[in-house]
C-alpha cells in the first residue's frame, strides 16, 4: 500500500506538470506551482516516501529520514499560501501530518521508543495521502483554469 500511495502522488505530480496555462485563478496557481510549489511537492513526496521505506528497517535509521522530512516541511511552509481553494485544506493537512509525524518519529527514535517513533511514521503516512489529494486538486484546478 505504501508504494502505491507514493506512486499515485508521483503520477499526479507528473500530471500537473503536463497541464497548460489557465485563466486568472489558474495563472495564480500556475505561478505558485512554478515558483516553488512543484519543487516543494516533489521534495515532500520523495522524503515522505523515504520515511515510509525506512519504516521496515531497523529503527536506528528512522530519525535521520524524519529529520530530512522536517527540513522539507519547513521549506514548504515558507511558500506563499496555495492559491487553490480545492487544494488548500489538503496541503495544510499534509504539512501538519508531516510535521507532527516527523517530530514524533524523531523524538521516538532519539529516545529509543519504537511505539512513539512508529506512531510518528503512521502520521507521516497519512500525510502522503493528503499530499496525493493536494496534487490531484492542483491538476484539476489547472485543467479547469
Amino acid at each position: 500500500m505504501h508504494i502505491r500511495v507514493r506512486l499515485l502522488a508521483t503520477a499526479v505530480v507528473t500530471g500537473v506538470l503536463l497541464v497548460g496555462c489557465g485563466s486568472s485563478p489558474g495563472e495564480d496557481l500556475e505561478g505558485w506551482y512554478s515558483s516553488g510549489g512543484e519543487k516543494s511537492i516533489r521534495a515532500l513526496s520523495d522524503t515522505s516516501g523515504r520515511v515510509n521505506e525506512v519504516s521496515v528497517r531497523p529503527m536506528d535509521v528512522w530519525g535521520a529520514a524524519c529529520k530530512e522530512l522536517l527540513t522539507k516541511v519547513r521549506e514548504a511552509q515558507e511558500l506563499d499560501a496555495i492559491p487553490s481553494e480545492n487544494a488548500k485544506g489538503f496541503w495544510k493537512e499534509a504539512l501538519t501530518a508531516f510535521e507532527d509525524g516527523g517530530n514524533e518519529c524523531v523524538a521516538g527514535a532519539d529516545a529509543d521508543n519504537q511505539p512513539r517513533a512508529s506512531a510518528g511514521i503512521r502520521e507521516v503516512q497519512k500525510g502522503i495521502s493528503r499530499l496525493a489529494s493536494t496534487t490531484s486538486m492542483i491538476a484539476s484546478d489547472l485543467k479547469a483554469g
Side-chain angles (χ1 to χ4, degrees):
M1 178 192 153
H2 307 293
I3 293 173
R4 280 187 278 153
V5 171
R6 184 160 186 243
L7 289 175
L8 173 63
T10 302
V12 174
V13 168
T14 302
V16 171
L17 290 172
L18 300 175
V19 175
C21 292
S23 63
S24 184
E27 288 172 359
D28 289 345
L29 182 56
E30 188 174 307
W32 177 88
Y33 189 76
S34 65
S35 67
E38 174 191 11
K39 179 181 175 187
S40 189
I41 288 169
R42 284 190 180 279
L44 289 168
S45 179
D46 290 346
T47 55
S48 63
R50 201 164 8 269
V51 169
N52 191 46
E53 290 168 11
V54 300
S55 69
V56 297
R57 296 189 190 149
M59 193 174 74
D60 62 338
V61 298
W62 296 2
C66 291
K67 285 177 185 176
E68 181 183 358
L69 176 61
L70 289 171
T71 298
K72 300 306 177 189
V73 168
R74 283 188 288 282
E75 291 170 4
Q77 290 169 335
E78 293 176 5
L79 291 173
D80 290 337
I82 187 169
S84 164
E85 289 303 316
N86 295 323
K88 190 179 296 186
F90 290 116
W91 178 246
K92 183 178 178 184
E93 290 174 14
L95 293 179
T96 298
F98 290 151
E99 183 174 36
D100 293 349
N103 284 326
E104 279 300 295
C105 171
V106 169
D110 287 350
D112 201 27
N113 181 334
Q114 187 167 1
R116 184 175 184 185
S118 292
I121 288 175
R122 285 191 301 277
E123 189 65 20
V124 169
Q125 291 165 341
K126 287 181 192 176
I128 292 170
S129 69
R130 299 308 187 275
L131 185 62
S133 295
T134 300
T135 56
S136 179
M137 292 294 102
I138 290 171
S140 178
D141 285 354
L142 287 173
K143 189 173 183 179

